[in-house]
Amino acid sequence: MSNPSSTSEVFSTVLKQGLLLVAAIAVIGGGLGLLFAGIGGLLSGLIGAGLALLFSSLTALSVKLGGNLSLGGFFGVVLGGWIVKMLGFIFIIALLKGATFIAGPVLFFTLVASILGTLVIDSLIVLRSRITVGSN
């Protein structure tokens, strides 16, 4: 992983690494779900990985769009994106709650692995980035 030096490079790197993580979680979570819970486990693993991809992409997009605005606009876009993600997550989980094809533990652990993985990736990329925040 190289050291990104602009905000465009940072978010490009975040999206690429996030995509690799989500693909790995889809394969591992879906495979283990299939092994332990059948087709429902496979679907649950894939749904969990898909949700992680959607939400991590929305985060990167909101920060990228907000980066073109003033500080107040930036925080407004990021907070608005966070609220949209929370409401979307609640809505999607409510839709899936009664689904008979969902294996709850597989979906849960896939989401936990995706969330922790994206937090690690985002943190490492930001820590390694070389973006100037001011000038002389």
Side-chain angles (χ1 to χ4, degrees), residues 60-106:
L61 180 65
S62 68
V63 172
K64 182 148 178 77
L65 292 175
N68 298 327
L69 303 173
S70 66
L71 186 60
F74 172 78
F75 285 117
V77 169
V78 171
L79 180 60
W82 183 78
I83 292 170
V84 167
K85 286 191 302 181
M86 289 298 293
L87 293 174
F89 180 76
I90 291 169
F91 178 72
I92 291 170
I93 294 301
L95 283 177
L96 294 175
K97 184 179 179 184
T100 58
F101 61 88
I102 294 293
V106 176

